[in-house]
Amino acid sequence: MPRPILATIDIAAMQHNLAVARAHAGAARVWAVVKANGYGHGLMNALRGFADADGMALVEPDAAVLLRQRGWRKPVLLLEGFFDAADLEAIASHGLDTVVHCEEQLRMLEIASLRGPVNIHLKVNSGMNRLGFRPHQVASVHARLRALSGVGQIVLVTHFANADDEHNPALPLAEQVRRMREAAAGLDVPLSLCNSAASLLHGELTEDWVRPGIMLYGGTPGAAPAASFGLTPAMTLSSRLIAIQEIAPGEAVGYGSRFVAGKPTRIGVVACGYADGYPRHAPSGTPILVGGVRCALAGRVSMDMLAVDLSNAPQAQVGSSVTLWGEGMPIDEVAHAAGTIGYELMCAVAPRVAVAVRGDN
């Protein structure tokens, strides 16, 4: 018998969430961001779930080539660009789009003999200070790219640091937009501005391309619940109770004895631990569904197990179903309780967890 922990991937939910992203995008074309193995959902599942996207975007060149080998003929974008001059041959031969974000990449392009034309997404550092050229550099970089016979279309792209917190005093969204407009002035090029947060909250910025990521998988980057935007969880991590302990007041549970019962308490033991991808730092009180009833994590998460306070679920017994996140238990709520984000939980599910895939519509 297999260990009773399962990650269920819902292709129909992915298709639905893409439709929501497109509805928010207006006339813009939609990149489906599928980096990190489709945010932990599986690259081939993402290929099925986002078949109606206008393109797929990721950071791993080998995964980009795999998309081509599996039949994807629409655009594929490398969001971090290329890491070595040797990558340019694969980019050209497989018809990939690539970000160019630094002088070193630009020089590699200038000395390469591209089969081309290769479409370039010129990254603008509008204030996030990870990748990109400063706005005042963009016109000259654009001119250098335009002079290369192996370069096709050029798109300007930036990334917002605070689209879900537009008045952040360190870097307001409006200031990033202003800097991007400054960079684009006089160039007559398509723009790609919006991530998930900007797509959901700032439809006026959708422009020519949008790059939804977390929303495609049923999560959100901000405080608003995903369901409030009509998004559906694409991953459900489930397990079962494998034991129940009856403990007296003053007795403790787990490593470090972090949870101490204040009354007679039934404790359920779940076949899920940090080696499965559940966050070890999740505190007592983190929500968990047992038999569809909302309960709470009790004590420190172990490698292979975690404990849950069954006070709200007196009917629970060994074998009762448990939902760690997904259907009925929003991943963003679990992540918030654990002091992290839904992205991390999605991507952290371990290889030892069995995966089931529900078919598409």
Side-chain angles (χ1 to χ4, degrees), residues 51-135:
D52 289 337
D54 298 299
M56 293 201 177
L58 67 177
V59 301
E60 306 91 349
D62 56 341
V65 171
L66 181 59
L67 287 174
R68 287 288 188 238
Q69 292 171 341
R70 295 300 177 93
W72 182 258
R73 294 293 171 256
K74 289 185 277 188
V76 178
L77 172 61
L78 292 171
L79 290 165
E80 292 178 351
F82 46 95
F83 305 101
D84 188 271
D87 295 333
L88 288 168
E89 182 178 349
I91 286 170
S93 62
H94 291 284
L96 308 179
D97 289 20
T98 181
V99 159
V100 170
H101 62 75
C102 64
E103 179 67 24
E104 291 76 10
Q105 287 179 329
L106 182 55
R107 288 175 183 165
M108 282 188 265
L109 270 176
E110 288 177 327
I111 65 175
S113 298
L114 291 178
R115 301 178 190 178
V118 172
N119 294 330
I120 302 297
H121 296 247
L122 174 53
K123 189 67 173 279
V124 181
N125 178 6
S126 60
M128 193 165 180
N129 292 319
R130 293 194 312 187
L131 303 178
F133 296 91
R134 298 282 181 173

Side-chain angles (χ1 to χ4, degrees), residues 7-14 40-42 45-46 233-236 355-359:
T8 301
I9 308 302
D10 190 335
I11 301 297
M14 298 167 85
H41 292 66
N45 294 328
M235 174 193 289
T236 296
V355 177
V357 181
R358 293 180 186 165

Side-chain angles (χ1 to χ4, degrees), residues 257-284:
S257 301
R258 296 290 184 88
F259 177 89
V260 178
K263 61 182 181 180
T265 305
R266 297 177 76 232
I267 295 292
V269 179
V270 182
C272 177
Y274 60 77
D276 300 299
Y278 198 88
R280 182 179 182 272
H281 54 273
S284 293

